[in-house]
Amino acid sequence: GIRDRAREYGMDVVCFQGESVDRSRDSGLPLFPLNGHVPVDGAIILTATMIERNRAGDAKRFAEAFEGRPVVAIGNRLRGFPAILAKTRAPMRELMDHLLADHGYRRFLYVGGPDGNSDNRLRESVFRASLEEASARGDDCSGTVVTGGLFFESTGFTALKEYVAAHPERDIDAVVAASDNTAVGALRVIRAYR
């Protein structure tokens, strides 16, 4: 959608991937190593995947990386920049209601994302609340939470693979993932164990 709209305005879209803010900070590498070599007029930053813990200095690092050019954050607020925030609570609630009521699942595994990520915390809290409410209604529900790390396919894959290895009895009915990428990684493990 972004690429199509940019084309309408005669603009190009260049996508490049960097490390998370925390990993960039720890390694001493710039957030966007290619930024000085690829001329850009602005940036759309997927902050939901790049920012594990939204710290005060993060906005300054993005401002410095793009030297006064316009920046829009998607996913997490970034102080001083406009942001597009996804609704998280209602879709997660709908997902859990669907899995509980429509499918009758009762034993769940939640593969979470970064501990400090606000979307992950909110999704996990809805996951837990849904199971508590179902149990209060008399349904025998259980849920286990594992941390997948960043919202990457590889972390979803690793988290579920480790869970399956530690629980050969396959004691879950459904896996709920904190992000699409995490879900793709978990799905790869599920298909391998069919």
Side-chain angles (χ1 to χ4, degrees):
I2 291 170
R3 193 179 307 275
D4 291 344
R5 190 70 169 166
R7 193 176 297 122
E8 289 177 24
Y9 286 98
M11 301 169 75
D12 292 322
V13 175
V14 178
C15 298
F16 52 100
Q17 183 175 342
E19 291 287 352
S20 70
V21 174
D22 285 350
R23 287 184 183 195
S24 170
R25 183 185 297 113
D26 293 345
S27 68
L29 295 172
L31 274 174
F32 297 99
L34 296 177
N35 188 41
H37 305 287
V38 178
V40 296
D41 296 317
I44 300 169
I45 307 295
L46 301 178
T47 52
T49 58
M50 289 195 65
I51 298 176
E52 297 171 49
R53 295 170 196 82
N54 207 336
R55 298 178 181 160
D58 291 344
K60 182 179 178 197
R61 292 193 71 205
F62 281 104
E64 290 169 353
F66 290 98
E67 302 167 344
R69 287 167 279 188
V71 172
V72 174
I74 297 180
N76 288 338
R77 292 186 195 283
L78 194 58
R79 189 181 311 257
F81 296 102
I84 299 170
L85 306 176
K87 292 185 178 182
T88 297
R89 185 179 304 278
M92 187 67 180
R93 172 63 74 174
E94 290 171 14
L95 171 65
M96 291 304 297
D97 289 347
H98 173 73
L99 295 173
L100 286 159
D102 297 338
H103 291 282
Y105 296 144
R106 295 294 178 257
R107 298 169 302 164
F108 293 86
L109 175 69
Y110 177 80
V111 182
D115 290 333
N117 181 278
S118 60
D119 284 337
N120 179 61
R121 283 194 314 264
L122 181 59
R123 290 173 186 144
E124 184 180 329
S125 71
V126 171
F127 171 81
R128 290 180 187 275
S130 296
L131 295 181
E132 287 171 11
E133 291 166 14
S135 293
R137 289 190 305 265
D139 295 333
D140 183 21
C141 292
S142 64
T144 301
V145 174
V146 296
T147 301
L150 297 175
F151 294 128
F152 294 155
E153 183 178 330
S154 60
T155 55
F157 179 87
T158 301
L160 190 58
K161 186 175 176 186
E162 289 173 357
Y163 182 87
V164 169
H167 299 85
E169 69 277 11
R170 299 185 186 182
D171 60 345
I172 54 176
D173 299 323
V175 176
V176 178
S179 75
D180 293 344
N181 286 342
T182 306
V184 169
L187 187 58
R188 287 179 50 212
V189 176
I190 292 167
R191 287 182 174 153
Y193 281 90
R194 278 189 171 173

